[in-house]
Structures are given as structure tokens and as C-alpha cells.
Amino acid sequence: MDPSVLLADAAENLYPARMQMALSLGWHIVFACFGVAFPLITVVAEWLGHRRGDAALAGLAHTWAKAMGVLFAAGAVSGTLLSFEMGILWPGLMDRFGEVYGFPFVLEGFAFFIEAIFVGVYLFGWDRLSPRAHMLSAVPMIISGMAGAFFVVAANAWMNNPTGFGLDEEARVVDAQPWAAMFGPSTWPQVVHMLLAAYMVTGFTIASVYAVGMLRGRRDHRHRAGLLLPLALAAALTPVQIGVGDWIANTVADNQPVKLAAMEAQYETTAGASLSLGGVYVDDELRYALEIPNGLSLLIHHDPDGVVQGLEEVPADERPPVNVVHLAYNAMVGLGTALLLLAGWLGWVWWRRRRIPGTPWFLRAVAVSGVAAVVAMEAGWITTEVGRQPWTVYGILRTADAVSPAPGLYLGFYAVVVVYVLLTVLTVVVLRRLAHSSTTPAPQERDAPPPDRDAGEVALR
Amino acid sequence: MTLAEVVLSVMFLGLIAYGVFGGADFGAGIWDLLAGGTRRGGPQRGLIERSIAPIWEANHVWLIFVLVVLWTAFPGAFAAVVTTLYIPLTLAAFGMIARGAAFAFRKSVTTLGMRRSLGACFALSSLVTPYFLGAVVGGVASGRVPPGIAAGDVVTSWVNPTSVLGGVLAVLVCAYLAAVFLCADARREGTDDLAGQFRLRGLATAAVTGAVGIAGLFVLRADARQLFDGLTGRALPVVALSVVAGVAALGLLAARRYVPARAASALAVTAILVGWAVAQYPYVLVPELTIEEAAGGRSTLVAMLVALLGGSVVLLPALVYLYVLFQRAPRHDAAEPAAPGAVTS
Ligand code: HDD
Ligand code: HEM
Ligand code: HEM
């Protein structure tokens, strides 16, 4: 084919390909969070249920296990599409750098495999294994969920801070070192931040389901326990998450100063830079923002007069879309702070009175905390991914050079939108059904009736 | 064997596992489609449901495994294949989503209409997904994917005689495998009439698959000469093994020896896949890109082997445990609907 036609196709593909990637990842990550964090929360409920002989807790654990099965299935199918998309949409990335950073995905494959196996064992073995064996079968799930998150996020951290290879004069990869590539400077902060985010998202979301129930007047023991257990975990992690947020922000400042400048909408390189909240960035200037003098320098360098680099340091075509990054970043930090206040409220009342705060306002706050945590997490990813633009591999490979030039590729985006809308509706229907009737089977369960003559009708009733 | 060949072979083991286990899962969906009306097909659908519910997610990861090993160890070949063949691959991915979601969620919904449409979705996507995957194999095997990003024709690379053959064969093989596997499952549950039904289906699909396979040789001779020469030359012993195993499986099935029939039919399918690999050796992308040329750097390949070995040490026992747990599940166990009231308050 004529090369100019190919390039035209690539330009046509770029925007929809980015949107498609963002949609698929943004969808998958919500379910991935539950895949990472739900097993631990469920097994803790199961363990407490056994230890205290508390039927409500045991019942909660069983319902949660089923919900976990549903969410896991949704996560697994959406993840499959992702592995295709990595190559279909970004061949320029995989072709050149697959040997450098593809490796964590291989390890991730093993982690998912183990997780998928033990989700099956855990759900299937609910009444079939001894309580001890059953709870032990959750351990591989918990570990492999975390390990899987480590590996994928390590791959993403490599895109932010590529290490572990050399380039020859023609910019071809030489001397790829996959182990080194997996442990670049961004890996640990990103992984820890993501794992905490997964636990926060899961904890706050489950708690918010029971908060809604309590607001509707169902204040029984089951609802209280269903609220308190996940909420306590998420609330305990929130301050840690904010500390880790500081760590990750410092890593970004050191390694990706342009991204940091976009996060703060900072045009000029300044000493004693102020921290700006909100506002709109037009013509290289941030307007209508709330400024905290010297705040940014203090946060980044832990010194009020530290020098913070601005966007002016790089040519205009190497700057990310500032407004998206800045607002997403502010949204994450703002919501993180709000969740911290909620956690503080719970902690204070618990410390003084050993009970959950009694006012309906507390329940209302918990009811929205799940959404808040999900939005904070999505906003964090938008900060990371859009802030990396125009680079796919920071400073080395432009997104425009990574995209596939295949004709008609952009049509896939519309199809993906339709598929995800349907999938979302379906998942919500099934989860609601699960919430209303605890005998609803989960996808991995095998408790359909036996194949006697009228099994077909039984199954249909 | 060179390092690259070792890594590729390990990937191929993953592909075989996907072909056999994933293939049987797809095939079960195809039989679900053909099971007949809601009432009449009920018992068959119940059996299908019970035999794949706990394992379909795990079986499915084999494909992920194949993809990630390819993109890390053979990045150029991977990029060439997925960009040129992006249409059937995207459709296959949608098929997997539709199938997984519909299967997973259909038993959780209660309204008849929704259950029926999800059931239809599951069954139809079980049919089209292996077709597209087979068409992809056909495109690669007939040398229609040149090296380079989106360098091949995005339509004719999968709409061509060899791809059609690949797709049809994939569907038939899945159906065949599933029928044989379901026979053994039905017997374990003590429902010999169901086993008998699937036995007949297994025999019939085997006959059709064999006929298509023979006709296919003529298609290949006309459309994919290099593959044909390989299959009838170097790969002939493997192809012969496949035929022998296939015939043996037929005999065992006819004699109602379901468990050995399972092994023999799995061997037959494995041999077909190996035959393809041997016929196409040493090329990853016929007729231009060899395994050595396509492979990534040495450290990557070594890291990969270490990971694959270490990973299997963890994975294989877990996988065996999973299969044993489900295979051993006694009949009365399946009969009790897991006494939900006992634990849920
Ligand atoms: C519940 C979710 C959540 C909460 C409350 C926070 N974050 Fe966050 N943040 C994430 C969830 C998240 C995330 C989605 O998990 C990201 C995206 C990429 C990553 O590794 O973590 C992220 C990324 C991310 C980045 C970009 C990293 C990069 O580009 O490499 C920075 C600088 C921060 N965070 C900083 C903070 C600060 C200072 C917070 C304090 C309030 C904070 N985050 C709260
Ligand atoms: C931060 C990012 C990610 C996290 C934490 C994550 C985590 C997970 C988890 C825990 C699962 C298991 C299923 C579940 O629990 O829902 C899963 C499934 C999957 N993910 Fe992701 N994932 C991430 C991003 C990605 C990316 C970028 C890809 C591919 C390029 C990917 C591919 C997959 C695949 C293929 C599966 C399905 C595996 C199976 O069938 O069991 N994920 N992911
Ligand atoms: C952890 C694994 C992840 C990997 C390996 C990954 C990889 C990628 C790749 C290859 C692209 C396309 C090239 C580019 O634009 O640079 C991309 C873009 C994008 N990703 Fe991620 N991603 C990950 C997680 C996420 C998550 C969880 C989200 C959630 C919202 C996300 C949001 C986005 C967005 C919004 C874009 C488009 C950016 C733009 O073009 O402006 N990513 N990612």
C-alpha cells in the first residue's frame, strides 16, 4: 500500500484508538480493584463468622463471595479484550518494546491463572470443603490478585519511566533487560498507590451498599456488619494512601517534570511556587484558581523556596493537555481529602463511643464514598495516562507513532462502546438481583439441579 | 533446539492446551445451541452448564498466555499478525466477551426472556469465536501475513479458502471434542441416556470432521502450497498419528469407553496442531520471517524461560487440584442445590 495512505489512516486512528484504550482500561480497572481486594474482605468476614458463630457474618461472606464471582467474570472478559488491544491498537509500542516490557505481562498471566483457578475453588468449595480448607483456598487468590496488580502496574510504570534497555543509532532496542525494566523508579510508588486504591475502592463501595440499605431503614445486625467491616478497612488505609500520594508525586517531579507541571498547570519555572486548586488553563496561564502561596514547592521539595519546573521548559508539542491533567489531579486529591475526613469521623466516634456515628449524615456520606473512591481512582489514572502524552514511552516513543495504521480501525471504537454499554447494564442487573435474593448463583458455582426429567423447567423457574 | 525455539514450543504447549480445553468449552456452547427447544434441551443444557461452569475462566487464560508470550518473545511477529488480522481478532474478542458474560450471568437472571437471549448469545458466540480463531490460523498458515505493521491485506488475509477451512475445522473440532468430553461427564453423573446422545453426536461430528479434513487437503494444495507440502512431507508422521488417534477415538467412543476416548481425541487434536507447526517450521510468518529472526533478545528469552518454568511449578499443581476437585465431585453432591439457606441468613 502507498505509505501516504497508511499515514493518513494512522492519523485517523489515533484519537479513536486512544479513546478505545481509555474506555477499556477505565472499565476494566474498576473490576480489577474488586478482583484484588474483595477476596481478603470476604475471607475476613467468613473467618469472623466462624469464630464468633455469627450467622449474619457468614451470610454476608457468602453473598460477597457470589458478588466477587460476578465481578471477577466481568473483569476477566474485559481483560481479554485488553490483551488484544495492546497489539491491535499500539503495534508500534509492542513491536519495538515488547521484548523489554512485555515480560511482566507474562508473569501477570500466571497470576491471573492462579486467581481464576482459586476463585473457582473458593466458590465451588463453599459447602464442600472444611471451613479451614475453604478459607485457606482464598489465600492464593489474595496473593495472586496483588501480584497481578503488581505486574500490570509495573508495565505501566515502565511506560512512564522506561529503563532496562539501550538504543542503537537507528533507535532500535538493544540489550533488553526485562527484570531491570520491571523495577524502574516509578514501579514501587505506583504499585503501592494502586493496591491501596484497590482496597479503598472495594471497601468504600461495599460499605456504601449497606449504608444505602440502612438509610432505607434496614438497621439489622447484618447491615451494620456489612457496613462496618469494609469501611473500617478502607478508612484505615486512607491516611496511608495520602502519604503514598506524596511519595508518588515526588517520583513524578523527579522523573516526569512536564507531567508534574501539567498536574499543577504551572507554565513558568518558579522558585517558591504556589499550589493551585481548580481553575482553567488558557493561553499558558491558569485562571480563576485558588492559590496557596509556596504550597507546591513545599509539597514537592519539602522546602518553601524549592524550584519547580514549568511547562515552558519543553516545546509546545511535548506538553500534555493541561486542563484534563490538572482537573483530574485536583479531583483525585480533593476526593482523597474528603475520604480522609470521613475516615477521621468514623475513627473519632469509634474511639470515643465504640460505635458508628449515629446521624443519617454519616450514612449519607458513606453512601457516596464508594462513588468518590472510584472517581478518585479513575481521575488518578487519567492524570497518569494523559499526563504522559504525547508520549507512550516517556521521552522515547510518541503515541502517534505507536498507533496502528490499519484501515478502518476507528470503527472498532464504536463497537467497543456498544459492547461495554451492554456489559455494564448486564453486570448491574445481575448484581442487583444478587442483592435482592441471596440464593442467586454466581457464575462459577455449580449448584444447578441435577439432570432429571424436568431439570430444564426447574432451571427456568 | 535454539533458545527461541524452546520458548516458541512452550508457547505452543499453551496453544495446544487452549485448543483442547478451551476448544471443548467452545464446543459445549455449540451443543447448547443445537440442544433443541427449552424443554427438550433442558437436560443437555444442564449437563453442559455443570461441566464447564467452574473451569471456563481458567481454560480461557491459556489464550492470554499465548498472547503475552508471543508479544514479549516475538514482538515483531505479534505486531504483524494482530494488525493485519485485527478484524477477525477483534470479532473473536467480542465473541469471548459475549460468551463469557452471557454464560456467567445467565443463571443469575430469572426472567425467561432474558435467560433465553443470554443463552442464545452464549451459544452463538461459542460458534463464531472458534471460527474467527481458525480463520486467523488459516491466514497465518497460508502465508498471508507479511512481516511489518498492518502490511498485509486486512480483508483477504482472513477471507480466503484456507481461512474458511481453518474456521470450519476449528468449529467442528470444538464440537467433536466437547461431545466426547461430555460423554464422560454424563456417565460420571450417572445419566447414561445423555451420554448416549452425546456419543452419537461425537460419532457424527467425527465423520464430518474427517470428511472436511480430507477435502481440506485439496483446498490447501490449491491455496497454500507451502503448507500442503509441509503437511504431506515433513509433517506426514504427525498427520498420520492424528489420523490413527482419531480413528482410535472413534472406536473407543463406539465401544462406550469414554475416558480413553477423551484421551485419544485430545491426542488427535494435539497432533493436528503439532502438524501445522512442523509443516511451517522454521517460519513464524511464512514465507519470510523465521523463528530466529523474529525472536527478541537473549536476556528476554532467558527471563521468559525462567518465568515459564517457575510459573508452571506453581500453576500445574493448582490446575490439577482444580480438575481433580471437580471431577471427583460425587453425584449426590451435584444433586443437592448447595443448601443455600444453611449459610445465608
Ligand atoms: C482511591 C484512590 C486514590 C486516592 C484517594 C488518591 N489517589 Fe493518587 N492515584 C490513584 C488513586 C488514588 C491511582 C488511580 O491508583 C493512580 C493512577 C496511577 C497510579 O499508579 O495510581 C494515582 C496516581 C497518582 C499520581 C500520578 C502518578 C504517575 O503519573 O506516575 C499522583 C502524583 C498521585 N496519584 C498523588 C495523589 C495524592 C497526592 C493523593 C492525596 C490525596 C492521592 N493521589 C489520592
Ligand atoms: C492497573 C491495572 C490493572 C489491574 C490492577 C488489573 C488486575 C486484574 C485482575 C485482578 C484480574 C482478574 C480478574 C478480576 O479479578 O476481575 C484481571 C484480569 C485480566 N486483566 Fe487486568 N488489570 C490491570 C490492567 C490490565 C491491562 C493493562 C491488561 C492488558 C493489557 C490486563 C489484562 C487482563 C486480562 C487478559 C485479564 C483476564 C485474565 C483472566 O481471564 O482471568 N489488565 N486484571
Ligand atoms: C496498568 C496498566 C495500564 C497500561 C499498561 C496502560 C497502557 C496504555 C497505553 C498503551 C495507552 C495508549 C498509548 C498512550 O496514549 O500513551 C494508554 C492510554 C490511556 N490509558 Fe492507560 N494503561 C494502563 C492503565 C490505565 C487505567 C487503569 C486507566 C483508567 C482510566 C487508563 C487510562 C488511559 C487513558 C485515559 C489513555 C489515553 C491517554 C490519551 O491518549 O490522552 N490507563 N494506556
Side-chain angles (χ1 to χ4, degrees):
Chain A
M1 208 185 281
D2 169 13
S4 64
V5 176
L6 276 184
L7 286 180
D9 280 326
E12 188 171 47
N13 287 342
L14 180 60
Y15 182 72
R18 288 160 99 172
M19 291 302 108
Q20 180 176 342
M21 198 69 199
L23 172 67
S24 325
L25 282 160
W27 204 91
H28 177 70
I29 194 72
V30 178
F31 294 84
C33 284
F34 286 91
V36 171
F38 221 152
L40 179 71
I41 298 181
T42 306
V43 83
V44 168
E46 188 187 356
W47 178 68
L48 285 175
H50 281 303
R51 228 179 53 142
R52 301 191 185 154
D54 185 333
L57 272 173
L60 272 178
H62 201 184
T63 306
W64 290 352
K66 289 170 184 238
M68 181 171 88
V70 171
L71 294 165
F72 187 83
V77 292
S78 60
T80 312
L81 181 62
L82 277 177
S83 2
F84 283 96
E85 283 174 342
M86 291 297 283
I88 290 177
L89 300 178
W90 313 107
L93 170 65
M94 303 318 288
D95 184 13
R96 257 180 91 193
F97 294 103
E99 60 173 313
V100 189
Y101 96 118
F103 185 57
F105 288 106
V106 177
L107 299 174
E108 176 217 27
F110 281 106
F112 289 157
F113 219 142
I114 302 280
E115 189 169 1
I117 290 174
F118 281 93
V119 168
V121 170
Y122 186 74
L123 280 161
F124 180 77
W126 193 267
D127 303 304
R128 295 176 174 93
L129 295 172
S130 73
R132 171 191 283 267
H134 186 248
M135 285 189 277
L136 280 179
S137 76
V139 174
M141 227 180 357
I142 297 170
I143 297 176
S144 58
M146 290 195 173
F150 173 90
F151 294 126
V152 223
V153 177
N156 184 273
W158 179 87
M159 294 167 58
N160 280 323
N161 265 307
T163 47
F165 62 99
L167 293 177
D168 66 9
E169 311 81 64
E170 286 158 48
R172 274 185 314 226
V173 168
V174 285
D175 192 29
Q177 298 293 343
W179 289 105
M182 206 157 75
F183 293 95
S186 290
T187 301
W188 282 113
Q190 267 196 256
V191 167
V192 175
H193 202 53
M194 179 65 225
L195 283 176
L196 290 171
Y199 277 94
M200 284 176 66
V201 163
T202 310
F204 281 120
T205 308
I206 306 174
S208 60
V209 171
Y210 292 91
V212 171
M214 285 173 77
L215 281 170
R216 294 199 182 137
R218 288 193 287 273
R219 302 205 169 217
D220 47 26
H221 174 48
R222 183 185 161 103
H223 275 80
R224 282 174 189 283
L227 179 111
L228 188 58
L229 182 69
L231 184 63
L233 176 75
L237 293 179
T238 305
V240 186
Q241 175 73 316
I242 289 179
V244 174
D246 182 54
W247 178 25
I248 198 172
N250 281 302
T251 316
V252 173
D254 290 344
N255 298 293
Q256 296 178 290
V258 185
K259 184 192 269 184
L260 187 91
M263 278 154 48
E264 301 295 348
Q266 180 87 18
Y267 181 70
E268 282 160 24
T269 302
T270 351
S274 52
L275 185 68
S276 349
L277 305 177
V280 193
Y281 185 84
V282 251
D283 300 332
D284 296 335
E285 200 189 334
L286 185 66
R287 304 203 180 141
Y288 320 113
L290 190 71
E291 308 262 337
I292 303 172
N294 298 54
L296 184 57
S297 292
L298 198 62
L299 274 180
I300 298 302
H301 297 291
H302 303 278
D303 162 16
D305 297 315
V307 176
V308 178
Q309 289 190 28
L311 289 159
E312 64 176 352
E313 300 283 326
V314 293
D317 73 339
E318 289 182 17
R319 296 176 200 157
V322 177
N323 278 319
V324 179
V325 182
H326 177 62
L327 290 180
Y329 182 62
N330 279 182
M332 167 173 61
V333 176
L335 288 167
T337 313
L339 291 171
L340 182 70
L341 292 178
L342 178 66
W345 189 355
L346 175 71
W348 173 260
V349 175
W350 190 264
W351 179 47
R352 307 306 302 222
R353 310 210 187 102
R354 297 277 142 206
R355 60 172 180 79
I356 21 183
T359 85
W361 279 108
F362 179 76
L363 291 180
R364 285 183 199 131
V366 177
V368 293
S369 67
V371 179
V374 172
V375 174
M377 191 252 326
E378 296 281 3
W381 275 108
I382 290 170
T383 310
T384 303
E385 303 291 290
V386 181
R388 192 182 59 230
Q389 302 305 317
W391 305 104
T392 282
V393 180
Y394 194 67
I396 297 180
L397 177 69
R398 278 176 186 268
T399 312
D401 298 328
V403 73
S404 166
L409 189 70
Y410 62 92
L411 293 174
F413 171 57
Y414 304 116
V416 167
V417 171
V418 174
V419 169
Y420 275 125
V421 168
L422 291 175
L423 198 54
T424 308
V425 171
L426 201 60
T427 313
V428 171
V429 168
V430 171
L431 284 175
R432 286 185 63 100
R433 166 97 208 111
L434 204 66
H436 288 297
S437 144
S438 58
T439 51
T440 308
Q444 296 82 354
E445 277 179 309
R446 192 165 75 157
D447 47 11
D452 50 21
R453 285 296 150 222
D454 45 20
E457 286 149 71
V458 174
L460 282 170
R461 244 180 260 140
Chain B
M1 253 204 204
T2 64
L3 197 55
E5 286 169 9
V6 175
V7 173
L8 193 65
S9 314
V10 178
M11 183 224 78
F12 213 79
L13 287 180
L15 193 69
I16 291 172
Y18 186 62
V20 173
F21 298 114
D25 281 1
F26 281 122
I30 298 174
W31 293 122
D32 185 298
L33 184 67
L34 301 178
T38 317
R39 182 163 306 208
R40 204 163 52 84
Q44 287 185 10
R45 293 209 170 88
L47 173 68
I48 290 168
E49 165 90 39
R50 281 186 305 282
S51 54
I52 65 179
I55 45 176
W56 67 273
E57 268 171 329
N59 283 343
H60 173 87
V61 189
W62 287 113
L63 177 68
I64 311 296
F65 174 80
V66 169
L67 289 177
V68 295
V69 172
L70 259 188
W71 86 38
T72 310
F74 303 91
F78 171 77
V81 171
V82 293
T83 47
T84 292
L85 289 164
Y86 86 91
I87 298 173
L89 284 171
T90 305
L91 293 173
F94 286 163
M96 287 170 205
I97 294 188
R99 187 185 131 82
F103 178 74
F105 295 158
R106 71 170 168 176
K107 65 178 135 180
S108 316
V109 297
T110 37
T111 53
L112 184 60
M114 196 147 164
R115 215 170 233 254
R116 277 216 180 108
S117 43
L118 285 183
C121 194
F122 163 65
L124 268 178
S125 48
S126 298
L127 184 74
V128 298
T129 311
Y131 178 84
F132 288 126
L133 292 177
V136 166
V137 170
V140 174
S142 59
R144 288 186 162 92
V145 180
I149 291 170
D153 190 306
V154 299
V155 176
T156 58
S157 58
W158 62 284
V159 184
N160 62 67
T162 308
S163 285
V164 172
L165 176 68
V168 172
L169 268 182
V171 171
L172 286 170
V173 164
C174 288
Y176 165 65
L177 274 177
V180 178
F181 279 37
L182 285 167
C183 285
D185 282 343
R187 169 166 296 168
R188 207 182 41 251
E189 288 192 351
T191 45
D192 277 325
D193 53 336
L194 277 183
Q197 290 169 9
F198 281 110
R199 171 173 166 270
L200 285 183
R201 292 171 181 210
L203 292 171
T205 3
V208 179
T209 314
V212 172
I214 293 167
L217 282 177
F218 294 96
V219 175
L220 292 187
R221 199 174 63 170
D223 187 58
R225 193 64 208 211
Q226 198 162 346
L227 180 65
F228 178 81
D229 291 345
L231 282 175
T232 51
R234 188 175 22 193
L236 196 59
V238 193
V239 175
L241 173 67
S242 166
V243 174
V244 171
V247 173
L250 270 182
L252 291 164
L253 203 55
R256 297 196 160 76
R257 310 255 334 251
Y258 297 139
V259 176
R262 231 182 214 205
S265 53
L267 179 64
V269 174
T270 305
I272 301 179
L273 287 170
V274 174
W276 164 42
V278 173
Q280 147 157 2
Y281 180 84
Y283 296 103
V284 185
L285 299 178
V286 247
E288 286 177 65
L289 192 69
T290 64
I291 300 176
E292 292 311 312
E293 289 162 356
R298 194 179 162 77
S299 326
T300 305
L301 296 178
V302 171
M304 189 76 119
L305 270 187
V306 171
L308 293 175
L309 283 177
S312 342
V313 171
V314 185
L315 181 64
L316 291 181
L319 209 55
V320 170
Y321 175 60
L322 180 80
Y323 281 108
V324 169
L325 191 69
F326 296 133
Q327 298 287 330
R328 282 230 197 99
R331 171 166 154 64
H332 69 265
D333 187 32
E336 279 165 32
V343 271
T344 40
S345 54

